[in-house]
């Protein structure tokens, strides 16, 4: 009987990029000054799975899933700030967009929803992976076409708990970003667009401290925003070349660059190495080895060459995780020091 129902989200599956999108009835009709577009995907599409990796915590001011089944996204595009609302109605994707970046967002809509992805190229080699794929047929890999919006929160997530990173992202975006265009920015609980590169560069040191961001991560972000234009050009490169360009920035290593291209490029093979938990989760799910390191994880994922990120995501979404046998990583709020 259990196989008839979708598994309940856990902390592990949420980390795999799963966002609960209510099965409500979407409100029809565009809002004031909205641009609209419709698009029909060529297969199953689950908005919560496709767009879930873009959410940085349940209170992310740039991302929201609403009760009517819509997903809202506020971002800084090459054309300027924009807000996108997406929902599925009768097998058709409908989108509304506001702001200077509205046209760009609508043009990129198919790729954002995985049109450039090829889920049929993936062949499960393990039962746990095959079952996770069967339960989530609407999983596609998003391609945002934006580098900095994934790079900055990924740097914030270096060497700290996810709660600390999410808090820092939330505080900095709300403090130095701008309200999202359209109704999302005018509501009682407004959404926000992340700051422009120059604004990130001008954030005072004490504001980083108040947000709980240490000097090392803050300095990495400052170095990145100074070459923001060059980093955004990496969207036109292959994923491996884009990672190499990102890693030229001191403080950006293989872990961070993989987390970025997974989102900006929809890179199906960009497996995250250097992670504290992922090797043990993959090792446990595929071989019963909770002590697996990066080398062992990569060995276990060899059968999925070209699709290793997708395989790792499906493993995370399976919820197969070894029991905790050590205390949680302590949270240290340097803003209180």
């Amino acid at each position: 009987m259990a196989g008839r129902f979708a598994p309940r989200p856990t902390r592990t599956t949420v980390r795999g990029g799963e966002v609960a999108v209510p099965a409500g009835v979407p409100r029809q009709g565009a809002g004031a000054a909205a641009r609209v577009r419709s698009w029909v995907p060529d297969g199953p599409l689950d908005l919560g799975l496709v767009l879930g990796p873009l959410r940085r915590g349940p209170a992310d001011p740039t991302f929201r899933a609403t009760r009517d089944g819509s997903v809202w996204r506020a971002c800084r595009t090459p054309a300027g700030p924009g807000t996108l609302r997406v929902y599925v109605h009768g097998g058709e994707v409908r989108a509304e967009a506001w702001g200077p970046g509205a046209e760009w967002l609508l043009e990129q809509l198919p790729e954002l929803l995985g049109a450039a992805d090829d889920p049929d190229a993936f062949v499960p080699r393990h039962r746990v992976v095959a079952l996770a794929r069967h339960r989530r047929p609407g999983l596609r890999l998003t391609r945002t076409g934006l580098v900095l919006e994934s790079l900055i929160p990924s740097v914030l997530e270096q060497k700290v708990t996810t709660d600390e990173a999410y808090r820092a992202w939330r505080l900095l975006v709300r403090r130095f970003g701008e309200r999202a265009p359209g109704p999302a920015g005018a509501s009682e609980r407004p959404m926000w667009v992340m700051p422009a590169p120059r604004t990130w560069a001008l954030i005072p040191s004490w504001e980083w401290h108040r947000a709980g961001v240490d000097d090392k991560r803050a300095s990495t972000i400052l170095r990145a925003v100074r070459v923001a234009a060059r980093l955004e050009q990496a969207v036109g490169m292959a994923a491996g070349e884009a990672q190499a360009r990102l890693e030229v920035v001191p403080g950006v290593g293989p872990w961070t660059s993989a987390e970025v291209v997974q989102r900006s490029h929809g890179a199906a093979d960009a497996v995250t190495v250097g992670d504290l938990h992922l090797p043990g989760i993959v090792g446990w799910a595929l071989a019963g080895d909770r002590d697996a390191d990066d080398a062992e994880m990569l060995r276990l994922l060899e059968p999925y060459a070209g699709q290793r990120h997708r395989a790792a995501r499906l493993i995370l979404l399976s919820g197969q995780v070894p029991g905790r046998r050590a205390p949680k990583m302590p949270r240290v709020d340097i803003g209180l020091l």
Side-chain angles (χ1 to χ4, degrees):
M1 293 293 291
R4 293 175 54 195
F5 304 97
R8 295 181 62 185
T10 65
R11 190 173 185 84
T12 305
T13 59
V14 168
R15 188 180 175 213
E18 184 173 43
V19 171
V21 177
V25 178
R27 173 184 59 81
Q28 302 296 309
R35 298 181 182 275
V36 298
R37 178 177 181 178
S38 297
W39 175 68
V40 179
D42 60 0
L45 179 67
D46 186 323
L47 288 180
L49 287 174
V50 177
L51 300 180
L54 304 182
R55 186 183 73 161
R56 305 292 179 157
D60 186 347
T62 70
F63 188 103
R64 185 170 300 162
T66 54
R67 292 182 180 180
D68 67 352
S70 301
V71 174
W72 295 73
R73 167 170 152 76
C75 58
R76 186 169 297 280
T77 76
T83 303
L84 180 70
R85 176 194 176 222
V86 184
Y87 60 92
V88 178
H89 183 71
E92 179 184 62
V93 175
R94 298 181 182 178
E96 303 171 79
W98 295 263
E103 286 287 355
W104 189 92
L105 287 169
L106 294 179
E107 182 180 349
Q108 296 294 317
L109 180 68
E111 289 196 355
L112 179 71
L113 298 181
D117 185 32
D118 183 13
D120 293 333
F122 182 77
V123 179
R125 306 290 185 181
H126 300 82
R127 184 176 184 276
V128 64
V129 178
L131 184 58
R133 186 191 187 202
H134 175 72
R135 286 176 167 173
R136 294 173 172 83
L139 172 63
R140 290 170 177 254
L141 301 182
T142 185
R143 177 185 171 93
T144 66
L146 300 169
V147 171
L148 212 63
E149 74 160 21
S150 293
L151 176 60
I152 292 176
S154 295
V155 171
L156 292 175
E157 292 173 10
Q158 293 176 352
K159 307 297 184 181
V160 297
T161 65
T162 52
D163 289 341
E164 290 174 89
Y166 292 160
R167 174 182 177 271
W169 172 249
R170 182 172 67 249
L171 292 178
L172 291 169
V173 170
R174 287 178 176 171
R175 178 74 175 84
F176 297 100
E178 59 187 279
R179 285 187 181 239
S187 65
E188 294 182 0
R189 191 164 63 97
M191 294 180 66
W192 297 81
V193 175
M194 79 168 196
R198 177 171 173 78
T199 305
W200 283 109
L202 296 176
I203 295 177
S205 60
W206 59 86
E207 293 289 355
W208 292 105
H209 188 80
R210 286 176 179 172
V213 182
D214 58 77
D215 289 343
K216 182 176 181 180
R217 288 179 292 152
S219 297
T220 299
I221 292 173
L222 293 177
R223 286 190 288 264
V225 297
R226 292 188 186 111
V227 291
R230 292 283 291 166
L231 296 182
E232 293 293 354
Q233 291 173 2
V235 171
M237 301 177 176
E241 295 175 351
Q243 285 190 255
R245 175 169 289 196
L246 288 168
E247 291 172 24
V248 170
V249 179
V252 175
W255 183 92
T256 307
S257 66
E259 289 288 312
V260 174
V261 299
Q262 288 166 8
R263 297 165 172 84
S264 63
H265 289 65
D269 196 49
V271 62
T272 304
V273 296
D275 192 85
L276 180 62
H277 303 291
L278 186 60
I281 294 173
V282 172
W284 176 259
L286 300 187
D289 181 6
R290 65 185 300 157
D291 297 315
D293 56 11
D294 279 335
E296 177 64 9
M297 175 181 70
L298 293 176
R299 187 189 72 78
L300 290 171
L301 291 175
E302 279 181 6
Y304 300 104
Q307 296 280 325
R308 293 178 299 173
H309 166 55
R310 193 192 307 274
R313 247 196 101 181
L314 287 169
I315 291 170
L316 288 169
L317 290 168
S318 75
Q320 296 294 321
V321 57
R324 187 184 299 277
R325 62 181 182 185
K328 290 183 178 181
M329 183 177 178
R331 175 181 173 180
V332 180
D333 187 355
I334 67 171
L336 299 178
L337 300 178

